[in-house]
Amino acid sequence: MAEPITLVQHIKNTGREHPEAAAELSQLAGLLGDVAAVGKTISREVNKAGLVELLGLTGEVNVQGEEVKKLDDYANDTIIKALERSGHVCVMASEEVPDPIPVAAGYEGPYAISFDPLDGSSNIDVNVSIGTIFSIRRKTTAGPAGTAEDLLQPGRTQTCAGYIIYGSSTILIYTAGFGVHGFTLDQSIGEFLLSHPDIKIPAKGKIYSANEGNYNYWSEGAKKYIDYVKQVDKATGRPYSARYIGSLVADFHRNLIYGGIFLYPMDYKDPAKPKGKLRLLYEASPMAFIVEQAGGDASTGAEKILDIVPTGLHQRVPLIVGSKEDVELAEKFVQGKV
Ligand code: AHM
Ligand code: MG
């Protein structure tokens, strides 16, 4: 059997295969190592969530008289603490925090990172998979301190993106622009080991994932697309199967491996103010970089996610992501071309 490959070894080996990117990958290895370490800590806490009845509900005072921190707050604080003096980042943005988060003076590094500390957190109390999503960009502004401008760069400028899924096992997925690779946490040695090298998403899937409870708030095009995937047509593999967890990391991960399409379309509940739900910087952009690297596609319906120039840290966008042929067809429906 081949020797197991750790995350940091994998990035460094990629640098050897791509000398033009070796310096970048070597810097990234330090930051990804920190992200992986935080992921292990959050994974441990997520696994303990089942003991909640013994320890006290989150937000309440437990039997020891201590306040039990909500897991999403815990994840947020843990990531910030791990990175603010790491020397790898100059500024951070978190889905849980309104403004850019500075790092400690004298510890500024070359990257700006945005993250969703615990995505799908409504699923925590019912033992359904949740995850941490991260997106890394190189600092472009002058001076040591990072700014919002460093974070508000289009998705195509990402140097690295990934997520950690806390499921039946804990898996870290990342891309640094050289394919998509997955590592499973071996709890016995506390290391992420390469388990899913060079993931490719099937060009066409058989699964659709959307919160169909919102059907009546969608555009005509989005409705027609969902009607389409449910029609019976053997030649095109329809009807598709419906799979929706309500946890982006889990829905995305399943479709990445099996093929399929995830949609959180524009919501016209208030026709004067149509809006998407998922956030560009913390959810849509990193997933778009990963899926494109795996051969898939990501779009709002009107434009590719990676082309959007962000206008705000917490900007929301419609998201259609998954197998390339499925996303391209959904775009045509949303644009009224089918
Ligand atoms: P969160 O970041 O507050 O957890 O919200 C994002 C989550 C995604 O994980 C998921 O895809 C989506 O919200 C589900 O939304 P809904 O419950 O409206 O279907
Ligand atoms: Mg989220």
Side-chain angles (χ1 to χ4, degrees):
M1 251 180 68
E3 281 296 302
I5 298 174
T6 67
L7 177 61
V8 171
Q9 279 169 346
H10 186 267
I11 303 164
K12 291 194 171 162
N13 290 348
T14 308
R16 267 185 220 109
E17 289 157 21
H18 300 275
E20 73 291 355
E24 178 85 82
L25 290 164
S26 153
Q27 276 192 326
L28 261 181
L31 176 50
L32 268 183
D34 286 346
V35 170
V38 179
K40 291 176 207 169
T41 312
I42 299 173
S43 174
R44 185 195 63 204
E45 292 303 306
V46 168
N47 287 335
K48 277 201 310 207
L51 295 171
V52 84
E53 286 191 14
L54 293 178
L55 301 176
L57 287 168
T58 54
E60 288 183 346
V61 173
N62 69 12
V63 284
Q64 280 90 34
E66 304 151 340
E67 189 174 330
V68 181
K69 234 184 203 180
K70 286 172 73 185
L71 261 186
D72 39 8
D73 292 341
Y74 171 86
N76 184 55
D77 296 351
T78 307
I79 298 174
I80 294 171
K81 274 204 197 97
L83 297 184
E84 66 188 352
R85 285 172 195 275
S86 67
H88 298 304
V89 297
C90 57
V91 65
M92 300 177 262
S94 163
E95 196 195 283
E96 301 284 331
V97 180
D99 298 314
I101 307 160
V103 302
Y107 288 86
E108 296 89 352
Y111 296 111
I113 186 166
S114 47
F115 53 86
D116 183 348
L118 212 50
D119 181 65
S121 47
S122 66
N123 286 312
I124 291 171
D125 291 336
V126 286
N127 214 7
V128 168
S129 298
I130 46 184
T132 299
I133 312 172
F134 57 92
S135 159
I136 298 167
R137 290 169 171 78
R138 192 162 262 285
K139 174 178 175 30
T140 53
T141 56
T147 66
E149 205 182 316
D150 294 308
L151 296 157
L152 297 175
Q153 303 180 61
R156 290 217 187 274
T157 66
Q158 287 172 102
T159 311
C160 178
Y163 58 83
I164 303 162
I165 179 166
Y166 311 106
S168 45
S169 52
T170 296
I171 293 183
L172 184 152
I173 299 285
Y174 93 96
T175 183
F178 299 97
V180 178
H181 311 282
F183 298 77
T184 302
L185 180 59
D186 181 335
Q187 306 275 4
S188 65
I189 56 166
E191 275 287 1
F192 281 103
L193 301 176
L194 182 63
S195 52
H196 298 70
D198 203 15
I199 299 171
K200 294 289 174 214
I201 184 169
K204 185 173 164 358
K206 289 184 174 178
I207 291 173
Y208 77 100
S209 320
N211 182 345
E212 264 189 277
N214 293 330
Y215 182 92
N216 285 314
Y217 300 135
W218 294 343
S219 69
E220 285 313 306
K223 285 180 187 166
K224 272 192 191 159
Y225 179 71
I226 293 296
D227 296 342
Y228 168 86
V229 295
K230 295 197 289 190
Q231 282 159 6
V232 179
D233 178 44
K234 224 174 166 187
T236 51
R238 290 176 291 153
Y240 281 18
S241 287
R243 293 284 184 276
Y244 190 71
I245 295 170
S247 199
L248 176 65
V249 174
D251 279 311
F252 178 91
H253 185 71
R254 182 203 51 241
N255 291 1
L256 180 68
I257 305 294
Y258 291 159
I261 183 165
F262 171 96
L263 305 97
Y264 211 108
M266 186 77 92
D267 181 324
Y268 288 85
K269 193 171 187 176
D270 176 356
K273 283 188 202 153
K275 58 178 195 307
K277 172 178 181 186
L278 297 175
R279 276 137 292 211
L280 179 60
L281 284 191
Y282 317 106
E283 291 159 336
S285 245
M287 292 317 198
F289 186 24
I290 295 166
V291 86
E292 281 203 9
Q293 281 289 315
D297 203 355
S299 169
T300 60
E303 65 181 319
K304 298 298 177 195
I305 295 287
L306 293 182
D307 291 335
I308 303 173
V309 181
T311 52
L313 287 183
H314 297 280
Q315 177 180 356
R316 295 170 190 264
V317 289
L319 176 62
I320 303 173
V321 62
S323 293
K324 197 170 178 57
E325 289 176 22
D326 293 307
V327 172
E328 284 173 355
L329 183 59
E331 279 178 317
K332 286 191 188 137
F333 272 93
V334 171
Q335 291 169 12
K337 291 182 182 160
V338 178

